Amino acid sequence: MFKKVLIVTVLLVTFASSASANTLYEVKKGDTLTKIAKINKVAVNDLRTWNKLKKDSIYVKQKLIVKKPTVATKTTTNVVSNNSKIIVTNKPKQETVVPPVQVKDEQLTIAPNAVQAMNLSTEGQAMYSFIVDFAKHLEGIPYLYAGNTMAGFDCSGFIYFIHSQAGLDITRQSSDSYFTQTANVVVPVIGDLVFFENTYKQGISHMGVYLGENKFIHAGSKGVEVASLESSYWKEHFVSFNRFNSLTVR
């Protein structure tokens, strides 16, 4: 009998630096980009690049990235399951990239239910640790439709930003498009994605990052915040926990 073979590519990443209070700087009265650059011993140009600033004007309580995340090492692990055994092979120089899938806003996408993502290894969760830590430091940044910078985020823009700042090669897409590039996770770990449907539109319409203990962080209408999956609203619209099929380091 033919058996389906599942291949899930997981990127194992070890970061030279982790998110900390020193990664972000909250603008105070009297601050300028030049002053902030001097305090943090970085170039003004770097501040513009890291924060995607088109001009030098900043505002009080704005949060700026003042330390660029760096990647130390990377390897790619292919996990192959034939329902009876698991074989793990390390291929440090080979990477698998899943091409972006374009999905129209009005389309309802269906999760690849036949595909169950494997649990990440300890090394693989190093990537998640950074992403979750960094995401928590962005709490309070306002909601901005189509936003994907420190000026404001929408839900998918937030996911794009925290993953790209972790050094991962990810394109800016909608939540339903990200959904098609992920596999369902039966037992989620901290750092996995969480998807919701029928919030402001039909179909997959919202996403966040799982924090454990039935909590997740997301860019909602009130800005970046931690919410509970136990609340009646999110419980009603919950779809699944998911994990990217593959991501590579830039």
Side-chain angles (χ1 to χ4, degrees), residues 1-44:
M1 180 182 293
F2 175 74
K3 294 183 178 180
K4 293 183 179 179
V5 176
L6 167 65
I7 301 179
V8 180
T9 301
V10 179
L11 180 67
L12 307 183
V13 185
T14 303
F15 288 95
S17 62
S18 60
S20 67
N22 295 326
T23 304
L24 297 178
Y25 177 89
E26 187 173 294
V27 178
K28 302 176 181 61
K29 186 176 181 180
D31 277 344
T32 63
L33 270 189
T34 302
K35 181 179 178 181
I36 295 171
K38 189 173 181 180
I39 292 173
N40 292 280
K41 298 179 181 179
V42 295
V44 173

Side-chain angles (χ1 to χ4, degrees), residues 83-190:
N83 295 330
S84 61
K85 62 181 179 179
I86 296 177
I87 304 170
V88 179
T89 56
N90 288 322
K91 299 180 181 179
K93 294 184 179 179
Q94 296 182 359
E95 297 175 345
T96 301
V97 181
V98 176
V101 178
Q102 298 300 323
V103 181
K104 294 181 180 179
D105 285 345
E106 64 271 15
Q107 287 181 311
L108 172 61
T109 55
I110 306 301
N113 294 324
V115 180
Q116 301 294 330
M118 308 303 293
N119 285 333
L120 287 176
S121 65
T122 302
E123 292 84 357
Q125 289 183 42
M127 174 179 69
Y128 276 8
S129 177
F130 179 94
I131 290 171
V132 169
D133 249 6
F134 188 70
K136 289 178 179 178
H137 281 100
L138 301 179
E139 277 191 77
I141 289 181
Y143 175 83
L144 178 64
Y145 180 74
N148 61 355
T149 71
M150 297 293 287
F153 301 106
D154 64 7
C155 67
S156 56
F158 177 64
I159 298 300
Y160 163 76
F161 185 78
I162 59 179
H163 282 75
S164 63
Q165 287 299 315
L168 298 175
D169 189 9
I170 182 173
T171 57
R172 172 68 165 96
Q173 298 181 54
S174 62
S175 56
D176 54 355
S177 186
Y178 281 141
F179 185 66
T180 65
Q181 299 173 45
T182 60
N184 176 254
V185 181
V186 177
V187 181
V189 298
I190 295 173

